[in-house]
Amino acid sequence: MSDSDLKFPDLPGIDITPVFQDSRSPMGQNIGLVYMGFGDKRICTGLKWHESLVGNAETDVLHGGVVTAMIDETAGGASVLATEHKFSVATVDLRVDYMRPAAPRQNLYCMAHIYRLTERIAFFNAQAFNEDPAKPIAVGTGTFMLGANASVPDILGGPFKVQEDG
Amino acid sequence: MGDVDFIKNVLVAMPYAAKLGVTAQLDDAGRLFCSMPFHENHIGNAQLPALHGGSLASFLEITAILQLAREQAAVQQVDSIEAGRAAIPLPVNVTVQYLRSARALACHAEARVLKVGRRTSTVFCQLWQDDEAKPVTSMTGVFIQPKS
């Protein structure tokens, strides 16, 4: 295993089932997003640093838009996972606070959690970090509209089998 | 350095903008418009198809950075490529509203700097597809200047 391989850090006190599966959305694949774990209304993802994702060639730091895209997809996946019918979701809004610059040339990880689910809306929070989940690069919060359309996303195929409750 | 060259230099310094195919044009009145062509890679939901929220947010953030860097450069008299690169603003936070589903079409955006401050600047940005009167996505972002 080389240093650049993705390895999702432990999240203290949070039970995550590890998986390793490329994103099924074209944009997710475009930025190299990998699903790395799931838990109760949670999804974990990772992406490798790549020069094409850089926001400033002088610093080699990932563009803020990459972080936002990662948070959007991770939280969207968590929204689908959290619902029973598994229909597609659509982002209503999201806010991302960039807490500190991402470390240059470092892989990025993200964990999104649905903290409130209503009939039509999922409320999420998400953190993106390099190695230490306690020191997030960015924190995201926002909402998804559930059952936005009748299409069914297949992120829950493969290892993302619907979890049996209780 | 002219406005056109400056914008080009800031875009070149942002490799992620090239990956998304973002281009910038100035109209006769000097207004800056950015465009992102439709590409399969920007799709979030392939069944509809609809563009990914992350593609849209990324494009808006690039547009906001370009417009802000341009206005900052006018104030600070940035006169070299290196200084232009060093002038790329850092985002503090962005808030994105998804107003309509983004279809498999090209996207256009224009940013308006609401306030240029010594410490922080606030930029509002709107994205549309075939009808400018029907915004698809909007964003408000707060930025700081990198330490020189």
Side-chain angles (χ1 to χ4, degrees):
Chain A
M1 184 188 269
S2 73
D3 287 345
S4 67
D5 283 341
L6 291 172
K7 186 178 180 303
F8 201 88
D10 285 335
L11 299 172
I14 298 175
D15 194 20
I16 297 294
T17 305
V19 295
F20 197 90
Q21 176 179 301
D22 289 343
S23 166
R24 307 252 178 118
S25 87
M27 181 60 183
Q29 291 168 9
N30 193 21
I31 60 172
L33 194 83
V34 177
Y35 284 80
M36 300 192 73
F38 67 99
D40 181 26
K41 299 184 177 68
R42 291 175 198 277
I43 279 189
C44 301
T45 57
L47 70 79
K48 286 187 178 183
W49 181 90
H50 191 275
E51 59 190 359
S52 69
L53 303 176
V54 162
N56 186 333
E58 284 214 331
T59 62
D60 273 351
V61 169
L62 292 175
H63 194 280
V66 176
V67 182
T68 308
M70 183 185 207
I71 287 177
D72 183 46
E73 168 138 356
T74 309
S79 302
V80 175
L81 183 72
T83 57
E84 280 175 27
H85 48 66
K86 311 297 176 201
F87 285 140
S88 284
V89 299
T91 326
V92 177
D93 69 350
L94 69 86
R95 171 185 170 121
V96 178
D97 286 285
Y98 300 99
M99 321 281 293
R100 50 173 67 79
R105 299 178 163 264
Q106 293 294 304
N107 296 336
L108 193 65
Y109 302 97
C110 179
M111 194 272 286
H113 177 226
I114 304 303
Y115 65 90
R116 166 80 177 141
L117 191 65
T118 73
E119 203 176 312
R120 285 182 285 182
I121 300 287
F123 298 81
F124 75 86
N125 53 43
Q127 296 85 39
F129 40 88
N130 283 131
E131 279 179 351
D132 186 353
K135 289 183 178 168
I137 302 304
V139 171
T141 179
T143 49
F144 278 85
M145 180 168 38
L146 306 176
N149 55 73
S151 68
V152 180
D154 58 359
I155 63 155
L156 303 174
F160 288 105
K161 294 293 184 216
V162 178
Q163 293 181 97
E164 298 295 331
D165 285 339
Chain B
M1 187 165 54
D3 215 11
V4 174
D5 289 336
F6 174 77
I7 292 162
K8 205 180 293 173
N9 286 330
V10 175
L11 265 183
V12 167
M14 246 190 296
Y16 186 52
K19 184 179 178 72
L20 295 178
V22 175
T23 56
Q25 306 88 33
L26 286 172
D27 74 2
D28 293 342
R31 286 165 68 194
L32 175 71
F33 292 93
C34 289
S35 298
M36 179 174 77
F38 169 72
H39 195 286
E40 299 272 324
N41 283 346
H42 301 159
I43 289 175
N45 183 329
Q47 292 175 48
L48 292 179
L51 299 185
H52 197 288
S55 326
L56 303 166
S58 297
F59 174 48
L60 281 168
E61 196 173 318
I62 291 164
T63 304
I65 285 171
L66 270 185
Q67 180 64 26
L68 179 57
R70 185 182 168 214
E71 295 195 18
Q72 291 277 12
V75 173
Q76 298 174 351
Q77 298 191 336
V78 172
D79 55 3
S80 70
I81 297 171
E82 290 72 23
R85 287 181 183 177
I88 293 180
L90 299 169
V92 176
N93 64 54
V94 295
T95 309
V96 187
Q97 283 82 35
Y98 296 91
L99 308 168
R100 294 178 170 86
S101 178
R103 292 168 293 143
L105 296 170
C107 295
H108 310 281
E110 183 182 14
R112 191 154 52 91
V113 178
L114 302 178
K115 165 83 177 10
V116 181
R118 271 192 302 150
R119 296 183 181 82
T120 64
S121 300
T122 303
V123 187
F124 177 73
C125 194
Q126 252 183 9
L127 179 155
W128 67 92
Q129 291 191 303
D130 50 353
D131 184 354
E132 189 172 351
K134 289 185 176 166
V136 170
T137 315
S138 69
M139 185 196 89
T140 306
V142 177
F143 296 84
I144 50 174
Q145 286 306 109
K147 286 178 186 161
S148 50

